[in-house]
Amino acid sequence: MWTNSHIVHLPSCERTNREEMEVAQNTWVGAAPQKPSPYLSNRGNLIRDFTGILREGFLLYHKDKHDEKDNPNGMINLGTSENKLCTDLLSERLTQADMFHIEPHLLQYADWKGRNFLREEVARFLYDYCKAPRPLKADNVVTLNGCTSVFCCLSAVVCDPEDAVLVPTPFYGMIKKHFILYNNVKLVYAHLTSEVSAADENPFHLSVEKLEKALQEATQEGARVKAIILINPHNPLGDVYTSTEMMQFLEFAKRHELHAIIDEIYMLSVFDERTTFQSVLSFKKLPDPQRTHVMWGISKDFVASGMRVSCLYTENQDVISAIGELASFHGVPGTTQYQVAQLLRDRDWIDQVYLKAHRNRLREAHHYVVNELRNLEVPFLHRPAGFFVWADFRKFLKEETFEEEINLWHHFLCEKILICCGKAFECCEPGWFRIVFSDKLPRLQLGLQRLRKALQQLEENHQCIGP
Amino acid sequence: MWTNSHIVHLPSCERTNREEMEVAQNTWVGAAPQKPSPYLSNRGNLIRDFTGILREGFLLYHKDKHDEKDNPNGMINLGTSENKLCTDLLSERLTQADMFHIEPHLLQYADWKGRNFLREEVARFLYDYCKAPRPLKADNVVTLNGCTSVFCCLSAVVCDPEDAVLVPTPFYGMIKKHFILYNNVKLVYAHLTSEVSAADENPFHLSVEKLEKALQEATQEGARVKAIILINPHNPLGDVYTSTEMMQFLEFAKRHELHAIIDEIYMLSVFDERTTFQSVLSFKKLPDPQRTHVMWGISKDFVASGMRVSCLYTENQDVISAIGELASFHGVPGTTQYQVAQLLRDRDWIDQVYLKAHRNRLREAHHYVVNELRNLEVPFLHRPAGFFVWADFRKFLKEETFEEEINLWHHFLCEKILICCGKAFECCEPGWFRIVFSDKLPRLQLGLQRLRKALQQLEENHQCIGP
Ligand SMILES: Cc1ncc(COP(=O)(O)O)c(C=O)c1O
Ligand SMILES: Cc1ncc(COP(=O)(O)O)c(C=O)c1O
C-alpha cells in the first residue's frame, strides 16, 4: 500500500573523493534502496526508506555546512526554503524581557488544540493581517507544531487510506511525505508546464480547465479524490493568485465536493509592492466554507522554522474536533505558545520594525539573485513573493530527461552549491531549479560564483556529469 | 478497521443542573456516539469520536477548574497524572539567565530526530541517572514532543496496520489511543487482578506466566503480536519491577521475537528510599538489544508535561532512521531543546535542589493521602513510586459491574472530585480507582473531604448514583 516510487538513480560524481563518495552512497537520492530491516514492519521499512531530493539535499548540507571561518569550502545551501535575512530581528525580539515569563499552567497539560490565549491571538492576528470581513473565532483555530503537522492531520481526517488529493505541480514536495507517511493518502497531479499560448502567456499558470482535466483523468483511473491543495503565495513558483483566480479554484472544489486545503504560509512574504496578496480569509463569502481549511505558520513569515508553530483555520467543527484528538501528537510547548502569542500581539514591532525590514531585505536579495541569473543567461520567472526563484536550466541538460536533471543537480553539489531541482517538486518538465535567495549577501555571492563555475565547467567539459 | 469499542453508557447525574447536564451530554464518556460527519472520512469520524475516560474527565475539569479565590466550588482534579508539587522549583530554574539564549540555528530547521547538543545531553543524562554500564550514545537517541509521540512512532514502525501489541492491564490508558489513531495497531491484554495466592501475595502482580498465557490466547485468536509494553515504574499501579523480574520479561519478549517497549517516564519519581529503581539501560547485557526500546521524558520527573519533550533510546538504527522520518511531525522547538539541554546539564541543581525536594514532597503527599484513605477505610496498594495510589472502592459498588463503576465515577464528579476509574486503565475488575496525590496540600484536603462526603452520601442514599 505504501509505495516508494520517487527513487531516482544517481550516477556518482567523478570529482568527489572517497569520503564524499561514501556520503553519496549512503544518503543521496538514488542510493540503491536499502535491504529491508527484519526489525521493522512493512510500513516501517517504507517509512525508513522514504526519502526525497529536498530532504537528501538538506542532510548532505548538514554534513558539510559552509562556514566563513571554519569551513569555507563547505556546502552553500540555496536549497532549503528558509529565511536567514531577519533572524537578527527575531532573535532580538524573542530575548526581550516579556518573553521570559513562566506561569505554572504553561508547564502543565492543556487543550491539545492549543491554549486559548494563543488561539485567540492567532484569530486576531489573522483577522487583521488577512483583512477578514468579520472577526475570526478562536474556536475555529487549532495550533500545531508546524504546517507539516497540519497537512498530516488534515489528510488523516478528510481522507481514508488510499484516497487521493489533487495538487498542481510543481509544488512544495514534502507534502507528499506529509500525506503518505502516517496516512497512506496519495497525491494526484495537475501538471503545469512552461508552455505559453496567445491566450495564456503565463508559464506554469494554474487554471480551472487544467484542474478539471486532471481531476477527470485521475477519477477515470480510479482515484478517489477528496481534496485539493492550493499554495498561495506559491512554493516553488512564487506566484500569487488573484482573488478572482482563487475564487474560481474554490468554486471548482465546491463543484466536486473537494476539501480545499489552502496553504498561505508565505502570506506576509510578498516583497513586490505592486502585488496585493488576498487571503482566502478575506473573502466576503466562501463557496463551501465547511470544506475550506486555511493554514499559516511562523516558519516563513517570521523566519522561525525552528520554533515549530503553525495554525489551521476552519469553520468546520468536525474537522476541529477530529484534529483536536490527533493534536496530542503535535503539541507545542506551553512556553513557546506564550512567546508566540506575545510576538503576534506586538503590532508596533511587527508593523514598524519587522515586516518592513522583512520585505525590504527580501526585495534586495531577490534583486541581486535575478540580476546574477540574467548575467548567467539563465531564464527565470519574475515573481513577487516567496524566498525563491524558479529558474530554467534546460539548456544545460544534455537531453531533456530527469536523469540529466539529477546529473546537473549532482554536478552543482560537486561544486558545493545546493539548489533544488524540479523533480523535488514533481515538476513534469526536466531542467527547472528552485534557487532560494533569502540569505545574506556574502553567501549568495559565493553561491552564485559556484553556480557560475559549475555552468562554465559544463560548457567546457560535458563529461563531468555523465554517468 | 478502526473501532470504537470503548464507549460506555453513562446515566445522567440527578443532582446536576441544566447547564451541567449539557456539558455532560456533550462531553462525558457515554454521550451517545455522534452522528457521523459528512465532511470527515471514515477514519476521520472514528478519530473525532475517539474519546476515553481519562480525556473526558480532563476536559470536564478544564471547563470548571477549582480555584481557591475565583471558583472555590470548581472541580478538584486528582485524576490527571501530573505533578504540581515542584512547579515552583522548575519555574525558577527555567527563568534563570542561562535559559534565554537564542542562537540563529535554534530558529532554523534541523535534524528532526533532535539537535545534536540535546541528544548528547540526553545520552549523558541517561548514562548517569540510569547507571548504565557503558556510556550511552547520542546516535541511539531520538527526541520527540512527548512520550505520546514516541508511542505513536514506535507503533508505526514496528507494526503494520491491525498488528497487535501485548500490554498488562491495568495500564496508562491513553496508550490505546497512541497506537490506534494514526496507526491502527490494537492492544491485546494480559489482565492482572487483585487476587492473591500463597505463592504470590502481591495483588496485580505481573509474572511471565501471565504474559505467556495472554500471548498464547491472543495468538490463538488470530492476533499478530509484535511487541510488549512494560511501564516501570508503573502507571497506575505504582509498582517498581525488580531487575530479576524485568529480565524475565525481556527474556519472554526475546523468546517470542517481540519488541520490548519500555516506558520509564517515572524513573526519578521513586519516593520510597527503600526501593531502588533499575532502568533497563543499567543492565549489563540485554537479551535482545535490537528489539529493546526505552523511553523517558521530562513530563513527570521534571514536572514539565506542558513542555512536550521526551526521548527514545534504542540501539536499533533501523528504528532510529524510520522514526527520524516521522519525527518531522513531532518536532520540539529549537529554543525548548536548548532549555532542556541546559536543565539536564545542571547536575548541581538536579541533585542538590530538585530531586531531593521532588522526592520529599512526593513522599509527604503520598503519606497524607494514604492516611486519609485508611481513615475512609478504602483499601489501597502501598507502592513506592509514581504520583498516584491504586485504591479499591469495590465495596461502594452496588454490584461489581463496570456500569456501577462508571456510576461511582460519575457520583464523584457530581461532588466535584475527579479521580480516574479502573476502566480508564482497562482494569478487568470493576471498582478500582487511581487517586493522584502529587498536588498541594489544600487541594488534597479539599479533594479528600469531597471524597468523604461522596462516600457518606452513598451510604445514606444509594439512589443518587442509580440511572
Ligand atoms: C508551502 C509550504 N508549506 C509548508 C511548509 C512547512 O512548514 P512548517 O515549517 O510550518 O512545517 C513549507 C516549508 O518549506 C512550505 O514551503
Ligand atoms: C506511563 C506514561 N507514559 C507516557 C505518558 C505521556 O507522557 P508525555 O507527556 O511525555 O507525552 C504518561 C502520562 O501520563 C504516562 O503516565
Side-chain angles (χ1 to χ4, degrees):
Chain A
M1 59 208 280
W2 278 261
T3 54
N4 224 338
S5 59
H6 56 284
I7 286 184
V8 203
H9 283 272
L10 181 77
S12 65
C13 171
E14 285 179 44
R15 302 170 62 257
T16 53
N17 59 28
R18 239 184 78 77
E19 200 185 275
E20 281 171 322
M21 282 294 297
E22 269 168 33
V23 172
Q25 262 156 31
N26 291 331
T27 63
W28 282 4
V29 173
Q34 303 176 63
K35 231 176 60 199
S37 163
Y39 301 111
L40 301 179
S41 59
N42 293 331
R43 170 168 62 190
N45 272 298
L46 286 160
I47 289 171
R48 184 196 59 171
D49 295 344
F50 198 95
T51 185
I53 293 167
L54 285 173
R55 180 152 161 75
E56 291 304 317
F58 184 76
L59 290 176
L60 214 58
Y61 163 67
H62 273 268
K63 290 204 165 118
D64 181 24
K65 280 186 194 183
H66 171 267
D67 184 280
E68 234 171 315
K69 280 188 221 124
D70 299 339
N71 190 18
N73 295 323
M75 188 84 75
I76 288 280
N77 179 1
L78 307 182
T80 306
S81 173
E82 207 159 31
N83 185 335
K84 287 168 186 143
L85 292 170
C86 281
T87 315
D88 56 335
L89 296 177
L90 186 73
S91 303
E92 211 181 83
R93 184 64 193 85
L94 286 178
T95 41
Q96 275 169 35
D98 65 323
M99 292 290 171
F100 306 132
H101 174 75
I102 297 192
E103 283 165 40
H105 71 91
L106 297 176
L107 300 176
Q108 290 162 11
Y109 289 119
D111 188 341
W112 293 119
K113 293 197 297 293
R115 300 180 193 238
N116 270 340
F117 67 79
L118 178 59
R119 297 198 290 140
E120 275 162 16
E121 208 51 57
V122 165
R124 272 191 290 271
F125 180 86
L126 294 178
Y127 172 58
D128 289 341
Y129 288 87
C130 298
K131 302 192 178 54
R134 287 167 294 278
L136 299 175
K137 296 197 190 115
D139 283 348
N140 297 343
V141 174
V142 181
T143 57
L144 299 176
N145 66 341
C147 284
T148 296
S149 297
V150 178
F151 277 119
C152 182
C153 286
L154 276 172
S155 58
V157 307
V158 307
C159 298
D160 279 317
E162 307 197 43
D163 281 351
V165 171
L166 179 65
V167 61
T169 77
F171 67 95
Y172 167 58
M174 288 293 198
I175 294 177
K176 195 164 153 181
K177 177 173 160 180
H178 307 338
F179 275 65
I180 209 161
L181 277 203
Y182 271 125
N183 298 317
N184 195 19
V185 170
K186 55 187 177 200
L187 298 182
V188 293
Y189 300 144
H191 284 300
L192 306 181
T193 68
S194 63
E195 213 177 300
V196 291
S197 64
D200 189 350
E201 292 183 346
N202 211 343
F204 295 101
H205 190 214
L206 183 60
S207 67
V208 168
E209 295 68 51
K210 292 175 193 164
L211 291 176
E212 291 282 6
K213 186 161 165 278
L215 177 64
Q216 199 184 345
E217 280 170 15
T219 310
Q220 270 162 10
E221 282 167 22
R224 297 189 309 258
V225 183
K226 295 296 168 64
I228 174 172
I229 299 169
L230 294 162
I231 308 172
N232 186 32
H234 194 271
N235 176 4
L237 297 173
D239 275 329
V240 175
Y241 300 128
T242 64
S243 56
T244 314
E245 285 173 325
M246 184 52 94
M247 200 50 128
Q248 286 167 354
F249 305 150
L250 294 180
E251 296 283 3
F252 159 83
K254 179 181 172 137
R255 236 172 3 258
H256 299 285
E257 293 200 356
L258 302 182
H259 288 266
I261 298 176
I262 317 288
D263 179 347
E264 297 188 350
I265 196 168
Y266 294 97
M267 106 184 160
L268 301 176
S269 301
V270 182
F271 51 84
D272 183 334
E273 278 154 2
R274 290 160 303 182
T275 302
T276 332
F277 167 74
Q278 293 227 269
S279 168
V280 162
L281 296 177
S282 75
F283 292 0
K284 287 230 165 52
K285 199 171 165 347
L286 290 172
D288 194 355
Q290 291 296 313
R291 285 199 185 82
T292 307
H293 318 297
V294 182
M295 71 178 86
W296 178 75
I298 63 170
S299 286
K300 312 295 174 182
D301 290 342
F302 284 96
V303 300
S305 39
M307 293 275 280
R308 314 308 305 131
V309 180
S310 68
C311 59
L312 170 72
Y313 192 91
T314 176
E315 292 180 24
N316 189 320
Q317 289 303 313
D318 296 332
V319 169
I320 295 272
S321 308
I323 294 188
E325 292 297 318
L326 292 174
S328 60
F329 306 117
H330 309 290
V332 177
T335 45
T336 304
Q337 295 192 31
Y338 180 82
Q339 288 161 16
V340 172
Q342 288 297 101
L343 192 77
L344 298 183
R345 178 178 296 142
D346 189 353
R347 300 308 172 79
D348 284 346
W349 178 80
I350 294 178
D351 296 333
Q352 306 307 325
V353 181
Y354 179 76
L355 279 184
K356 277 186 188 156
H358 175 59
R359 288 175 182 144
N360 284 339
R361 293 180 192 180
L362 282 178
R363 194 181 313 112
E364 282 161 23
H366 178 260
H367 185 74
Y368 174 76
V369 168
V370 299
N371 260 344
E372 288 298 303
L373 289 176
R374 278 195 198 100
N375 294 338
L376 290 174
E377 293 173 31
V378 173
F380 60 90
L381 303 194
H382 200 295
R383 293 290 178 264
F387 302 167
F388 25 71
V389 179
W390 187 242
D392 178 0
F393 288 82
R394 282 179 296 174
K395 66 181 172 199
F396 300 100
L397 300 187
K398 279 196 287 189
E399 46 185 50
E400 288 205 10
T401 64
F402 285 108
E403 209 161 36
E404 281 302 308
E405 178 183 281
I406 291 279
N407 285 345
L408 183 57
W409 182 62
H410 184 216
H411 175 62
F412 293 146
L413 288 172
C414 292
E415 288 307 317
K416 299 295 178 77
I417 166 75
L418 170 64
I419 59 177
C420 281
C421 55
K423 186 76 195 163
F425 308 96
E426 304 289 335
C427 184
C428 66
E429 269 181 31
W432 291 83
F433 282 72
R434 187 191 72 174
I435 303 172
V436 172
F437 60 77
S438 47
D439 208 338
K440 301 273 154 131
L441 193 59
R443 269 196 298 258
L444 291 182
Q445 284 171 331
L446 186 55
L448 285 155
Q449 258 169 40
R450 291 182 182 177
L451 199 62
R452 173 181 297 273
K453 186 162 157 233
L455 295 177
Q456 276 167 353
Q457 275 169 359
L458 280 190
E459 280 165 17
E460 289 158 19
N461 177 7
H462 255 283
Q463 88 222 49
C464 165
I465 61 160
Chain B
M1 61 210 277
W2 278 261
T3 55
N4 222 340
S5 60
H6 55 286
I7 287 186
V8 202
H9 284 270
L10 181 75
S12 64
C13 171
E14 287 179 44
R15 300 171 62 257
T16 52
N17 59 28
R18 238 185 78 76
E19 199 186 277
E20 280 172 326
M21 281 295 297
E22 268 170 34
V23 172
Q25 262 156 31
N26 292 331
T27 63
W28 283 4
V29 173
Q34 301 176 64
K35 231 176 58 200
S37 164
Y39 301 111
L40 301 179
S41 60
N42 293 331
R43 170 167 63 190
N45 271 299
L46 287 159
I47 289 171
R48 185 196 57 170
D49 296 344
F50 198 96
T51 186
I53 294 167
L54 285 173
R55 180 152 161 75
E56 290 304 317
F58 183 75
L59 290 177
L60 214 55
Y61 163 68
H62 273 268
K63 291 206 165 115
D64 180 27
K65 280 187 193 184
H66 171 266
D67 184 279
E68 233 171 314
K69 280 188 223 124
D70 299 338
N71 190 18
N73 295 323
M75 189 82 76
I76 287 280
N77 180 0
L78 306 183
T80 307
S81 174
E82 207 158 32
N83 186 337
K84 288 168 186 141
L85 291 170
C86 282
T87 314
D88 56 333
L89 296 177
L90 186 73
S91 302
E92 210 181 85
R93 184 65 193 84
L94 286 179
T95 41
Q96 275 169 34
D98 65 323
M99 291 290 171
F100 306 133
H101 174 75
I102 296 193
E103 282 166 40
H105 71 90
L106 296 177
L107 300 177
Q108 291 162 11
Y109 289 120
D111 188 342
W112 293 119
K113 294 198 297 292
R115 301 184 189 235
N116 269 340
F117 67 79
L118 177 59
R119 297 197 289 139
E120 274 162 17
E121 208 52 58
V122 165
R124 272 192 290 272
F125 180 86
L126 294 177
Y127 172 59
D128 288 342
Y129 288 86
C130 299
K131 302 192 178 54
R134 288 167 294 278
L136 299 176
K137 295 196 191 120
D139 282 348
N140 297 343
V141 174
V142 181
T143 57
L144 299 176
N145 65 341
C147 284
T148 296
S149 297
V150 178
F151 277 120
C152 182
C153 285
L154 277 172
S155 58
V157 308
V158 307
C159 298
D160 280 316
E162 307 197 41
D163 281 352
V165 171
L166 179 65
V167 61
T169 76
F171 67 95
Y172 167 59
M174 288 292 198
I175 295 177
K176 196 165 151 180
K177 178 173 161 179
H178 307 338
F179 276 64
I180 209 162
L181 277 202
Y182 271 125
N183 299 317
N184 195 18
V185 170
K186 57 189 175 196
L187 299 181
V188 293
Y189 300 144
H191 284 300
L192 306 181
T193 68
S194 63
E195 214 176 300
V196 292
S197 64
D200 189 350
E201 293 183 346
N202 211 343
F204 295 102
H205 190 214
L206 182 61
S207 68
V208 168
E209 296 67 50
K210 292 175 193 164
L211 291 176
E212 291 282 4
K213 187 160 163 279
L215 178 64
Q216 199 184 344
E217 280 169 14
T219 309
Q220 269 162 9
E221 284 167 19
R224 300 188 307 258
V225 184
K226 295 297 166 65
I228 174 173
I229 298 167
L230 295 162
I231 307 171
N232 187 32
H234 194 272
N235 176 5
L237 298 172
D239 275 329
V240 175
Y241 300 127
T242 65
S243 56
T244 315
E245 285 173 325
M246 184 51 95
M247 200 51 129
Q248 285 167 354
F249 306 150
L250 294 179
E251 296 284 2
F252 158 83
K254 179 182 171 134
R255 232 167 13 253
H256 299 285
E257 293 200 357
L258 302 181
H259 289 267
I261 298 176
I262 317 288
D263 178 347
E264 298 187 351
I265 196 167
Y266 294 96
M267 106 186 162
L268 301 175
S269 301
V270 182
F271 52 84
D272 183 334
E273 277 154 1
R274 290 159 303 180
T275 302
T276 333
F277 166 74
Q278 293 227 270
S279 168
V280 161
L281 296 177
S282 75
F283 293 179
K284 287 231 164 49
K285 200 173 165 346
L286 290 171
D288 194 355
Q290 290 295 313
R291 286 199 186 81
T292 307
H293 319 297
V294 182
M295 72 179 85
W296 179 75
I298 63 169
S299 286
K300 313 295 175 182
D301 289 343
F302 284 97
V303 300
S305 37
M307 293 274 281
R308 314 310 304 132
V309 180
S310 68
C311 59
L312 170 72
Y313 193 91
T314 176
E315 292 180 25
N316 189 319
Q317 289 303 313
D318 296 332
V319 169
I320 295 273
S321 307
I323 294 189
E325 293 296 318
L326 291 174
S328 60
F329 306 116
H330 308 289
V332 178
T335 45
T336 304
Q337 294 191 32
Y338 180 82
Q339 288 160 17
V340 171
Q342 287 297 103
L343 191 78
L344 298 183
R345 177 179 296 141
D346 188 353
R347 301 308 174 79
D348 285 345
W349 179 79
I350 294 177
D351 296 334
Q352 306 308 323
V353 181
Y354 179 76
L355 280 185
K356 277 186 188 155
H358 175 61
R359 288 175 182 143
N360 284 340
R361 294 180 191 180
L362 282 178
R363 193 181 313 110
E364 281 161 23
H366 178 260
H367 185 74
Y368 173 76
V369 168
V370 299
N371 261 345
E372 288 298 302
L373 290 176
R374 277 194 201 101
N375 293 340
L376 292 173
E377 292 174 32
V378 173
F380 60 89
L381 303 194
H382 201 295
R383 292 290 179 267
F387 301 168
F388 25 72
V389 179
W390 187 240
D392 179 1
F393 287 81
R394 283 180 294 175
K395 66 180 172 199
F396 299 100
L397 301 185
K398 280 196 287 188
E399 47 185 50
E400 288 205 8
T401 64
F402 285 108
E403 208 161 35
E404 281 303 307
E405 179 183 281
I406 291 277
N407 285 345
L408 183 56
W409 183 63
H410 185 216
H411 174 62
F412 293 147
L413 288 172
C414 292
E415 288 306 318
K416 299 295 179 75
I417 166 78
L418 169 65
I419 61 177
C420 282
C421 56
K423 185 76 195 165
F425 308 96
E426 305 287 334
C427 184
C428 67
E429 268 180 32
W432 291 83
F433 282 72
R434 186 191 74 173
I435 303 171
V436 172
F437 60 77
S438 47
D439 207 337
K440 301 274 154 126
L441 193 59
R443 269 195 298 259
L444 292 182
Q445 283 170 329
L446 186 55
L448 285 156
Q449 259 169 38
R450 292 182 181 177
L451 198 63
R452 174 182 297 273
K453 185 160 157 236
L455 296 178
Q456 276 167 352
Q457 274 168 359
L458 280 189
E459 280 165 19
E460 288 157 21
N461 176 7
H462 255 282
Q463 87 221 49
C464 165
I465 60 161

